[in-house]
Amino acid sequence: MFEDIYDKKVLITGSSSGIGFEIAKSFAERNCQVVINGRNEKKLKNASKKIEGSLTVSGNVENPFGAKKIVTKAIKLLKGLDILICNVGSGSSIKPGLENYKHWKKSFEKNFFSTTNVIEESKKHLVRSKGVIICISSICGLEYVEEAPTTYSVAKAALNSYVKMTSKVLGKSGVRINAIAPGNIMFRDSVWYKKMKKNKEKTKKFIKSKVPLNKFGNPKNVADMSLFLSSDASNFVTGSVWA
């Protein structure tokens, strides 16, 4: 399945663990040339050992200078770029109603600029390859989610809007951009993993009452959607946000 993805050049930000790691693994399994990224070099190298043939570029994409260095190095390693997956983000923030400028700034750097910084630096390379961009967003950017930090939800809503708006411009150059908005994804050290450890019964009750399928998703669900949105099977899809 998705045979056309084989041997593509792929950069995945925030990929030393969790969703990003699973996405990187899925592309590597299809013989893609994969560069993974994270801020912690030791953690990144350990992750790379588990993804055959993967290369690493450490650094922080939350500021434009860091993003430029990362993209420049990744392009040199890959000798081009076909697929960019922006996965950096965090739902950790202050409780709703307690926000101040510091919290807004931090959340937008983590959940919005971490993506736009990388895309701005990668655009010219993706135009050459008629490439694909996938942004990992959140269900919180599409609808009200109880207890979700307002700063996080608004930043992800901005990201979803960015994907829709920028698709018009990128599409003229043959570049597709879409977003995936995961809901309750369970993996070690995730927000939901910590909630389950803290209060298992409360968390199970929340899932039962709020999640239509009454279960957690997993990183492979997001990785599979990433493969689909990168493949020719979705070659007429752009500017969409997939919940």
Side-chain angles (χ1 to χ4, degrees), residues 35-224:
V35 168
I36 62 172
N37 156 260
R39 289 184 297 178
N40 186 318
E41 197 157 351
K42 184 179 178 182
K43 186 178 179 183
L44 194 61
K45 286 182 177 178
N46 286 337
S48 181
K49 290 174 185 176
K50 300 172 187 174
I51 303 172
E52 189 174 350
S54 64
L55 302 166
T56 66
V57 177
S58 62
N60 188 352
V61 295
E62 294 171 33
N63 67 76
F65 307 106
K68 185 173 184 176
K69 287 181 180 179
I70 290 161
V71 171
T72 300
K73 190 171 180 182
I75 295 299
K76 283 182 179 177
L77 290 170
L78 294 169
K79 295 180 174 60
L81 186 63
D82 298 308
I83 300 167
L84 170 65
I85 299 175
C86 301
N87 179 60
V88 171
S90 173
S92 298
S93 188
I94 199 74
K95 287 184 178 180
L98 301 177
E99 308 90 359
N100 60 34
Y101 171 74
K102 180 181 72 175
H103 303 122
W104 285 108
K105 182 174 181 289
K106 184 178 179 181
S107 191
F108 265 79
E109 286 173 346
K110 178 75 73 175
N111 297 294
F112 183 76
F113 291 117
S114 61
T115 292
T116 61
N117 288 338
V118 178
I119 292 173
E120 294 307 312
E121 291 299 330
S122 304
K123 275 195 298 190
K124 61 184 179 184
H125 305 288
L126 291 162
V127 167
R128 289 192 196 109
S129 64
K130 306 297 183 190
V132 174
I133 303 168
I134 298 173
C135 306
I136 306 302
S137 183
S138 170
I139 195 96
C140 296
L142 292 172
E143 59 189 71
Y144 171 75
V145 177
E146 191 178 328
E147 295 185 11
T150 305
T151 53
Y152 175 68
S153 300
V154 174
K156 288 299 190 182
L159 178 59
N160 293 344
S161 181
Y162 170 83
V163 167
K164 292 177 184 178
M165 302 306 168
T166 199
S167 68
K168 309 295 183 186
V169 179
L170 292 170
K172 292 175 182 177
S173 300
V175 177
R176 296 191 298 112
I177 179 170
N178 291 286
I180 301 172
N184 319 286
I185 306 298
M186 176 64 79
F187 56 91
R188 187 172 181 82
D189 294 330
S190 69
V191 170
W192 291 103
Y193 179 86
K194 291 171 184 175
K195 284 185 176 183
M196 281 290 280
K197 285 195 79 174
K198 186 177 179 181
N199 194 326
K200 192 173 183 179
E201 289 307 311
K202 182 184 176 183
T203 305
K204 280 186 173 181
K205 188 177 178 181
F206 176 88
I207 296 297
K208 189 174 182 179
S209 64
K210 303 294 183 182
V211 181
L213 293 176
N214 187 23
K215 65 178 182 178
F216 287 105
N218 60 65
K220 191 176 184 302
N221 297 139
V222 185
D224 288 345

Side-chain angles (χ1 to χ4, degrees), residues 132 176 178 227-238 242:
V132 174
R176 296 191 298 112
N178 291 286
L227 291 171
F228 167 70
L229 290 173
S230 300
S231 74
D232 285 345
S234 63
N235 66 14
F236 196 52
V237 176
T238 194
W242 297 69

